[in-house]
Amino acid sequence: MGDWESIFKKDGKVFLTAQEDMEKIIKLLKKEKVRKILDLGCGSGRHTVLFAKQGFDVYATDISKTGLKMTRKWLKEKNLCAKLKEHSCYEKFPFKDKRFDAIISTQVIHHNFHEKVKFCISEIERVLKPGGLIFITVAANKRKQGATAFMMSEPRTYTPLDGKEKGVPHFIYTKTLMKKDFKNFKILSICRDNGNHWCLLGRLKET
Ligand SMILES: C[S@@+](CC[C@H](N)C(=O)[O-])C[C@H]1O[C@@H](n2cnc3c(N)ncnc32)[C@H](O)[C@@H]1O
């Protein structure tokens, strides 16, 4: 979907330092004795590398071949390993039920129309263990990546007509909608980061 592949090809890694909450999240994951983590939409690998360095058993997926290639190279440079797979988060995940202790996904799952985003959330629920943790960040605002013009393709879904993410639909969340779509999770916190994303920390309810 859209063109992170071109962005990575043109600009390289793009994200070099971890998302601002990641240090706190890693502390929590360690406290909870998390082992198997999925970095969903790993991009060029900033969090995959960080998690591998912290000793977690890391799986990472992304739709961008170039992103995955950069992640692989970054891991190799640091003498670390993780299992990488090319995959669209809007398709059935290539993992068995209840496979992961935690799933982290920063700035990924909102890159589509609402129905697709909700399917992705249902797959997150399927492959996460009951009681497992998520840290997911999604768009809270349409003004990003230097775009000046947008098309509203569906309610709450904006597609930039220029800028780096030209042509990529973004589903824009409200806090209320986050709570609704993540109703199967106990919400531990929801806050806004500096890049205008909602950051949701949650735990899958045991049914
Ligand atoms: C803003 S980047 C964030 C990358 C990474 N999570 C990070 O924080 O560094 C968005 C990522 O979403 C990925 N992406 C977009 N559509 C996707 C899809 N359908 N399936 C998986 N990844 C997708 C892009 O390839 C890109 O790596």
Side-chain angles (χ1 to χ4, degrees):
M1 178 59 68
D3 229 357
W4 272 93
E5 176 65 10
S6 318
I7 297 174
F8 288 136
K9 268 194 176 143
K10 184 167 165 284
D11 298 339
K13 278 181 186 159
V14 184
F15 302 100
L16 298 174
T17 55
Q19 192 275 351
E20 64 201 53
D21 298 302
M22 211 47 79
E23 200 179 317
K24 187 182 79 190
I25 298 299
I26 286 174
K27 271 192 193 145
L28 173 68
L29 299 178
K30 287 193 168 175
K31 191 171 150 223
E32 297 259 341
K33 307 228 179 316
V34 160
R35 279 199 34 73
K36 221 178 264 298
I37 297 191
L38 173 61
D39 184 4
L40 183 71
C42 63
S44 46
R46 58 175 172 165
H47 299 136
T48 303
V49 170
L50 185 62
F51 298 144
K53 195 171 167 199
Q54 295 293 327
F56 295 108
D57 183 9
V58 190
Y59 290 68
T61 57
D62 202 282
I63 201 169
S64 164
K65 280 189 175 35
T66 304
L68 289 165
K69 200 169 148 189
M70 287 190 285
T71 303
R72 203 166 284 119
K73 184 164 177 271
W74 199 347
L75 285 163
K76 200 172 168 201
E77 281 163 10
K78 301 279 178 196
N79 208 16
L80 295 166
C81 61
K83 290 101 177 158
L84 309 186
K85 202 168 183 70
E86 186 184 328
H87 171 257
S88 168
C89 64
Y90 308 115
E91 304 291 332
K92 187 171 191 235
F93 290 8
F95 304 111
K96 290 184 181 153
D97 296 1
K98 304 177 186 168
R99 186 110 171 84
F100 297 101
D101 301 312
I103 299 179
I104 309 295
S105 183
T106 53
Q107 301 175 224
V108 178
I109 71 165
H110 56 257
H111 287 111
N112 214 320
F113 300 98
H114 196 199
E115 281 311 307
K116 296 275 189 187
V117 177
K118 284 195 285 186
F119 175 76
C120 174
I121 296 170
S122 72
E123 280 297 281
I124 291 173
E125 290 171 10
R126 182 182 66 76
V127 302
L128 188 63
K129 288 180 184 160
L133 292 167
I134 54 166
F135 179 69
I136 311 255
T137 79
V138 291
N141 185 305
K142 73 178 193 289
R143 303 243 157 239
K144 59 196 298 269
Q145 298 290 359
T148 59
F150 298 85
M151 181 177 74
M152 187 149 120
S153 353
E154 267 187 17
R156 307 206 60 75
T157 309
Y158 293 87
T159 304
L161 298 175
D162 57 3
K164 281 186 175 182
E165 291 189 290
K166 183 179 171 187
V168 182
H170 286 66
F171 183 74
I172 310 300
Y173 267 99
T174 59
K175 198 172 183 174
T176 308
L177 203 46
M178 289 286 277
K179 287 183 183 164
K180 191 171 172 211
D181 283 3
F182 289 90
K183 64 181 182 312
N184 293 331
F185 293 83
K186 178 175 192 282
I187 309 281
L188 304 176
S189 66
I190 302 184
C191 57
R192 279 287 259 267
D193 72 8
N194 293 330
N196 248 327
H197 298 95
W198 290 114
C199 306
L200 183 146
L201 177 64
R203 185 187 298 285
L204 186 58
K205 291 178 186 167
E206 319 233 3
T207 47

